[in-house]
Amino acid sequence: MPGPARPAGPRAYRAPKPHKDGAEPPKIPGELVPKHVAIVMDGNGRWAKSRGLSRTEGHEVGEKSLFDVVEGAVQIGVTHISAYAFSTENWKRSPEEVRWLMGFNRLTIRRRIDEMDELGVRIRWSGRRPRLWKSVIDELEMAEERTRDNDRFTLNMCVNYGGRAEVVDAAAALARDVAAGRVNPNRIDERVFARYLDEPDMPDVDLFLRSSGEQRTSNFMLWQAAYAEMVFLDTLWPDFDRTHLWHAIQIYADRDRRFGGAMPNPVADDAARTPSPLAG
């Protein structure tokens, strides 16, 4: 049964919870803070194995890491996080782990929906429907509907998601519209194609962050992260918290982002302006 309707007008969101040790975000100018961070939450299994625990116990601790990172993202001014929760390749894992992960993704949303809603988080879902449990889809869609008016922060849960799958599905949908006469193939450009992605109105990824020391994208956000800065940290995901996010953002802020352009070279420019002594 749906809850009571919200009162009309802007909502007052709660403040982010403080870090457990009282850490504060670094002072970084707003224009240097990434708006969209894509996170590959890697290392749950290795963290658990090193402690003689099951892989599922690593996933359970990793849930706390994600939502501490969300609190820290709101603190520092990030507006979007895309979290790689379950990939299209994760179906290759053991049936027992897949079954546990399906239930875990469903219950994670259910457990966290109230606090995320109070924080002003809009929850969205990227991923394929086929093979995904209906109960998981129902929970994700419920969370999307309940939080759709929140405008402080967006958490994009990527469940049964793959970057190549997203591009293939977008191309297929675009092809159907071309065949039906709804799209002129001579007018297709990147802007038109992007409208067929899972969440076309989300900004491109600025910072691509992976935990655990692995240095690969693993088929995540291939289109959206075309110009993202890559940061790979050695920390395993269950040991991650908002301070690791802030560290990655500091690395990001210290880089020059040129998007294919070139920075002026004072030495070369001065040389070009100085007349040659051999010039007649």
Side-chain angles (χ1 to χ4, degrees), residues 91 102-103 105-107 109-110 123-145 159-160:
W91 295 104
M102 285 294 101
N105 276 295
R106 180 187 67 230
L107 293 173
I109 297 298
R110 187 176 300 172
I123 295 175
R124 302 178 78 165
W125 165 42
S126 292
R128 281 179 161 175
R129 286 176 172 268
R131 298 187 73 180
L132 195 56
W133 287 11
K134 183 179 184 300
S135 59
V136 177
I137 294 174
D138 289 346
E139 205 71 40
L140 287 164
E141 290 184 339
M142 178 280 296
E144 284 187 310
E145 176 59 26
V159 183
N160 199 25

Side-chain angles (χ1 to χ4, degrees), residues 13-20 23-25 67-78 115-116 118-121 152-153 242 246:
Y13 302 128
R14 72 165 172 84
K17 296 175 182 176
H19 182 259
K20 58 184 176 59
E24 292 290 335
F67 289 97
D68 189 77
V69 164
V70 168
E71 301 273 359
V74 174
Q75 278 183 282
I76 201 169
V78 172
E115 61 180 293
M116 290 295 101
E118 292 166 2
L119 185 60
V121 174
R152 188 187 207 180
F153 182 86
R242 71 188 75 183
W246 295 341

Side-chain angles (χ1 to χ4, degrees), residues 36-37 39 69-70 73 78-83 153-156 245:
H36 186 179
V37 181
I39 304 181
V69 164
V70 168
V78 172
T79 58
H80 295 72
I81 280 180
S82 289
F153 182 86
T154 296
L155 174 60
N156 183 29
L245 172 70

Side-chain angles (χ1 to χ4, degrees), residues 70-206:
V70 168
E71 301 273 359
V74 174
Q75 278 183 282
I76 201 169
V78 172
T79 58
H80 295 72
I81 280 180
S82 289
Y84 212 4
F86 188 90
S87 78
T88 49
E89 286 74 37
N90 285 156
W91 295 104
K92 299 174 185 176
R93 297 187 179 184
S94 71
E96 294 77 19
E97 185 174 3
V98 168
R99 186 162 51 248
W100 189 91
L101 285 169
M102 285 294 101
F104 181 67
N105 276 295
R106 180 187 67 230
L107 293 173
T108 294
I109 297 298
R110 187 176 300 172
R111 276 192 298 267
R112 300 287 180 168
I113 184 65
D114 288 342
E115 61 180 293
M116 290 295 101
D117 191 25
E118 292 166 2
L119 185 60
V121 174
R122 181 181 181 185
I123 295 175
R124 302 178 78 165
W125 165 42
S126 292
R128 281 179 161 175
R129 286 176 172 268
R131 298 187 73 180
L132 195 56
W133 287 11
K134 183 179 184 300
S135 59
V136 177
I137 294 174
D138 289 346
E139 205 71 40
L140 287 164
E141 290 184 339
M142 178 280 296
E144 284 187 310
E145 176 59 26
R146 175 170 166 181
T147 63
R148 64 186 173 89
D149 294 327
N150 292 347
D151 58 5
R152 188 187 207 180
F153 182 86
T154 296
L155 174 60
N156 183 29
M157 294 293 291
C158 299
V159 183
N160 199 25
Y161 174 88
R164 288 182 174 180
E166 181 182 26
V167 171
V168 167
D169 291 347
L174 176 56
R176 287 193 291 270
D177 279 352
V178 169
R182 291 188 288 268
V183 175
N184 181 344
N186 297 319
R187 298 284 183 90
I188 296 173
D189 56 15
E190 292 181 11
R191 181 183 56 82
V192 170
F193 185 86
R195 293 204 299 260
Y196 290 81
L197 298 173
D198 284 356
E199 299 292 345
D201 57 334
M202 286 183 61
D204 282 345
V205 173
D206 300 304

Side-chain angles (χ1 to χ4, degrees), residues 204-207 222-229 257-260:
D204 282 345
V205 173
D206 300 304
L207 170 60
L222 298 183
W223 179 279
Q224 298 88 339
Y227 278 98
E229 294 294 325
R257 305 191 76 208
R258 295 187 292 275
F259 300 98

